[in-house]
Amino acid sequence: MSVPLKRAEIHITGIVQGVGFRPFVYRTATSLGLRGYILNLGDAGVRIVVEGREDRIHALLRTISQKPPSISKIDSVDVRWASPTGKFSEFVIRMSDAKRSRSAVPRIPPDISICDACIDDIRVPESRWHKYPFTSCAACGPRYSTITALPYDRPNTTMVDFPLCSECATEYNDPSNRRHHAQTTACPSCGPRYRLLNKYGKAMSTSNPIRTAAELIDRGAILAVQGIGGTHLVTKTSDATPIHELRIRKNRPTQPFAIMVRDIATLQQMATVHQEEVSLLEAWQKPIVLVSKRDVSGVIPIIPTESLQAISPYLDTIGVMLPYSGIHICLFDETDEPALVMTSANPSGLPMYVTPKEILMGLKGIADGFLVHNRRIAQRVDDSVVKFVEGRPQFIRRARGYVPDPIDVRGIDSKSVVLATGPERKATATVLTNRRAYLTQHIGNTDNIESAQFLEGALYHLARLVGIQDVDVVACDLHPEFLSTDIARNLAHQHGSELVGIQHHHAHLVSLLADSDLPVDTRIACITIDGYGYAPDGTGWGGEVLVGNASEYRNVGGLAGALLPGGDLSARYSARAAAGILGLDALQEHSGLFANAKLGPHTRANDETLSLLAESIRRRINTIESSSIGRLLDAVAFVMGVCSENSYEGECPMRLESIAVDNEVSIPTQYEKTLDGRTVLNTREFLLDVIRFLHEGVNKSHLAFGAQYALGKALTTIAMEAALDEGIAYLGLSGGAAINRIIARAVFETAQDGDVQVLLHRRIPPGDGGISLGQAVAAAARRQHTGRV
């Protein structure tokens, strides 16, 4: 009995370019005796045309759906059946087609960490790639950081600068080779190269730049090492001296550094690592993961305790990652160091250095040498950073390995095209089209021209890749003075689009809706907690309970506001936050707490400065009214003597969280009703109770835990009351302070008493890195709901 022959035309969308998908399909189709072709499309999908026995075509489809390359991600498989033409004699990989459909929703491949096979190639002496730091194959290597256009083919990447040698070209065109159509493949004969420069920028005489660099690191040097998407400052960890020196040169007295550890076994000797953390560290994305420092008392630690404290001062966690590119493998193979400090070389808040010229100019006087390469970086991409909260991974920074993988948005018009420019700090931007939101990589703080230009360029690049032409709406923060708001105004003018400002904390709520895969009209009660967000009345929010969905919201309660003296200074010097929250009478009563406290770069508290501080509060001069949980945690840290200055963002709350020890201390909470009917926690009485507990001799570590837990419990109580009143089934937690493990624990434990499901972020940061997503979705939903923005 003859088996019928068929023709299938297959269109597949997802992450199917740059992940070895075409060679995988080629091998499968060939093994099944099928004929036809596969090619990449301009929308980042693939098209397969195949002829042969119908049962074998079904076998091909099953293999594609059930056993695709591990790094690929299939969104849809569209199959159209027809009669065979008989014109194919074999199955081949055809040249890509740059055409794309208007309804295309592309997935663009992110950067992928080096695979085990390529690591073996680097380490095997007989290999052509022995000790070659740019080794990659169809399953690994840089992607997004090299892409200049779609489809993802070598001419559309920065590897176009490096024509393949005959051997590499043979492998590239050999369907049986794992480097078949590997766009970033190269070898020492035809690919990029590293060179080592001294501190003056002059080439060092060495036949092996990486070995010489490792020797310098072993001797305590601080080197700038250019990588896949940016540049790290690198030094040894077996001696604290160069780490302290790096802090001096970077003017970074306490901000934690990340380290790269040789392997998991090494990590387990310096940190307490849970299996979920190990799995994420070893995943192909290779993010930085915050893990708990290990108690090494009584044993000889693999890294000296002084070094660990110098890497992450005053904190109970340390940010670690595993080697993720060839240069890391090569460096570790040339040194005995168990781990290396690898911190971003750029100043905090500014874009990463990506060219040798930028690296040399920006790091003069900081780096003792420069290990740089000649492969262009098309897109800066920083390391992603993750912290586990309530057993769930939470992004602090979403970048390498994850960007630009999109977020699917439910319940909005597929025709809506929105650009969103994000907030001012820890910003990203978002392109929303065809119900799919593409977030840029982490940008940084856009309060400077360099980062604002980076944001604008990253947004333009992403919009071009996904095929954006006409834009309906440009969304931004409500704050009129942000540079990101200026960018939004210019974009709206360029595209003839509507401009809409989205309130900061509403954007947090909406980002959580989208991240939770809920329809955008779903109403939730959301605890939105952070340092600052411009409110509709011009005050500062930061400890709010909102009820709403993507198109509308109400502020139903949260933390009581306070007048904080000094404007932006109150966000840096925690004594100012404490003074504002305590108020005039309590400030005078507890003036002893403020003795010699730092109030500014050159100002200390004394009778005169405290009097001026009180007068500014009384007369509302240079004050900001704020309900920020960040400032309340600053104040608690100050009165407890834990931290008096945020030398980096969030330092005081992070140090307060780090000293906390689980116990039964319970801080009283007093609620009040505002004139507009909101329920708020009296923060003045809360802070006074903390002071009272201190005077009564309560252990500081116990009190730190009790204070943070009480805040989480109080906010959850307010949110649950609102959810119950309005029949809401979901309680969310978003904002920068949502990664506080004690507050999050209090939210989960308190919510157990109510009939609500707690929502935490999963795929985007709960902090300001997710704001642009919320802005874009809110603007689209509001436009859809009202017919206009």
Side-chain angles (χ1 to χ4, degrees), residues 281 539 661:
L281 283 163
T539 60
V661 174

Side-chain angles (χ1 to χ4, degrees), residues 397-439:
R397 184 169 70 206
R398 182 178 184 264
R400 177 184 51 76
Y402 299 92
V403 170
D405 197 27
I407 305 294
D408 291 325
V409 181
R410 296 175 59 193
I412 60 171
D413 187 346
S414 63
K415 297 179 181 178
S416 292
V417 178
V418 183
L419 303 181
T421 57
E424 183 178 60
R425 305 191 69 78
K426 298 184 178 178
T428 62
T430 290
V431 177
L432 174 64
T433 179
N434 290 311
R435 299 194 185 102
R436 182 162 277 182
Y438 299 84
L439 281 73

Side-chain angles (χ1 to χ4, degrees), residues 332-660:
F332 272 108
D333 284 351
E334 299 290 353
T335 179
D336 292 330
E337 284 291 308
L340 297 171
V341 170
M342 285 217 179
T343 187
S344 296
N346 53 290
S348 296
L350 290 176
M352 286 179 295
Y353 303 134
V354 292
T355 68
K357 182 178 179 180
E358 290 175 342
I359 295 166
L360 289 168
M361 291 179 61
L363 298 175
K364 184 179 180 181
I366 296 176
D368 297 315
F370 305 86
L371 189 60
V372 296
H373 60 69
N374 59 342
R375 181 172 64 194
R376 287 182 294 127
I377 296 174
Q379 282 294 301
R380 294 172 169 90
V381 186
D382 212 332
D383 297 317
S384 296
V385 183
V386 176
K387 175 183 178 181
F388 276 79
V389 178
E390 286 297 295
R392 308 178 190 194
Q394 300 280 284
F395 280 104
I396 297 174
R397 184 169 70 206
R398 182 178 184 264
R400 177 184 51 76
Y402 299 92
V403 170
D405 197 27
I407 305 294
D408 291 325
V409 181
R410 296 175 59 193
I412 60 171
D413 187 346
S414 63
K415 297 179 181 178
S416 292
V417 178
V418 183
L419 303 181
T421 57
E424 183 178 60
R425 305 191 69 78
K426 298 184 178 178
T428 62
T430 290
V431 177
L432 174 64
T433 179
N434 290 311
R435 299 194 185 102
R436 182 162 277 182
Y438 299 84
L439 281 73
T440 68
Q441 65 272 47
H442 169 80
I443 301 295
N445 299 338
T446 57
D447 55 357
N448 58 83
I449 294 297
E450 296 89 345
S451 291
Q453 291 174 340
F454 176 25
L455 182 143
E456 195 167 13
L459 181 59
Y460 172 78
H461 178 70
L462 194 52
R464 186 169 58 84
L465 288 181
V466 300
I468 296 299
Q469 295 177 344
D470 300 321
V471 177
D472 299 314
V473 185
V474 179
C476 62
D477 196 272
L478 277 183
H479 200 297
E481 297 178 5
F482 284 173
L483 289 180
S484 58
T485 303
D486 287 340
I487 292 172
R489 292 190 190 104
N490 292 336
L491 287 170
H493 178 73
Q494 292 170 19
H495 290 280
S497 309
E498 296 176 273
L499 176 69
V500 55
I502 302 296
Q503 200 281 321
H504 186 93
H505 296 90
H506 183 217
H508 275 309
L509 180 154
V510 180
S511 72
L512 181 57
L513 265 181
D515 198 10
S516 302
D517 200 28
L518 291 171
V520 298
D521 61 353
T522 306
R523 288 174 59 77
I524 67 173
C526 190
I527 300 167
T528 55
I529 47 176
D530 58 12
Y532 174 80
Y534 189 80
D537 61 0
T539 60
W541 285 357
E544 317 307 313
V545 176
L546 305 184
V547 169
N549 55 26
S551 58
E552 54 82 25
Y553 73 96
R554 288 186 302 113
N555 187 325
V556 299
L559 302 180
L563 282 177
L564 305 184
D568 289 345
L569 286 174
S570 64
R572 173 140 191 161
Y573 301 101
S574 56
R576 289 180 174 271
I581 293 170
L582 287 173
L584 295 174
D585 292 340
L587 174 59
Q588 184 175 6
E589 180 183 350
H590 295 283
S591 60
L593 284 172
F594 293 82
N596 204 38
K598 202 170 183 181
L599 299 176
H602 310 291
T603 307
R604 295 278 180 174
N606 53 40
D607 289 345
E608 181 183 0
T609 54
L610 283 179
S611 176
L612 291 172
L613 205 67
E615 188 65 14
S616 71
I617 297 172
R618 181 179 296 109
R619 299 177 61 182
R620 293 176 174 258
I621 298 173
N622 192 26
T623 58
I624 181 172
E625 186 174 346
S626 171
S627 53
S628 164
I629 198 171
R631 302 295 75 77
L632 179 55
L633 292 171
D634 286 350
V636 172
F638 172 75
V639 300
M640 289 181 58
V642 173
C643 184
S644 61
E645 180 181 356
N646 287 307
S647 68
Y648 60 90
E649 189 171 346
E651 179 176 5
C652 290
M654 289 168 64
R655 288 171 64 171
L656 187 68
E657 180 183 0
S658 291
I659 70 162

Side-chain angles (χ1 to χ4, degrees), residues 56-57 67 112 125 145 191 211 244 273 326 341 418 475 501 541 550 558 593 630 719 748:
R56 294 187 178 181
I57 295 176
K67 299 179 180 180
I112 302 167
S145 59
R211 175 177 295 164
H244 290 304
V273 194
V341 170
V418 183
W541 285 357
L593 284 172
F748 270 84

Side-chain angles (χ1 to χ4, degrees), residues 58-119:
H58 281 293
L60 171 66
L61 291 169
R62 281 196 302 273
T63 303
I64 288 172
S65 297
Q66 298 173 8
K67 299 179 180 180
S70 60
I71 299 170
S72 65
K73 185 181 294 184
I74 295 176
D75 291 334
S76 66
V77 180
D78 179 57
V79 184
R80 296 183 181 182
W81 295 94
S83 299
T85 64
K87 66 179 183 180
F88 301 119
S89 61
E90 60 182 340
F91 194 91
V92 298
I93 297 176
R94 283 191 177 178
M95 185 177 296
S96 300
D97 185 345
K99 294 179 181 178
R100 66 172 83 197
S101 68
R102 290 186 61 84
S103 61
V105 282
R107 281 191 187 268
I108 304 157
D111 295 313
I112 302 167
S113 62
I114 188 169
C115 69
D116 290 342
C118 284
I119 293 175

Side-chain angles (χ1 to χ4, degrees), residues 71 113-125 127-132 134-141 177-179 286 326 329:
I71 299 170
S113 62
I114 188 169
C115 69
D116 290 342
C118 284
I119 293 175
D120 288 342
D121 285 340
I122 290 174
R123 288 177 169 162
V124 172
S127 165
R128 283 199 299 120
W129 298 273
H130 182 52
K131 296 184 181 298
Y132 183 57
F134 296 95
T135 302
S136 68
C137 67
C140 74
N177 194 287
R178 81 171 201 277
R179 290 186 169 87
K286 295 287 194 300
I329 301 299

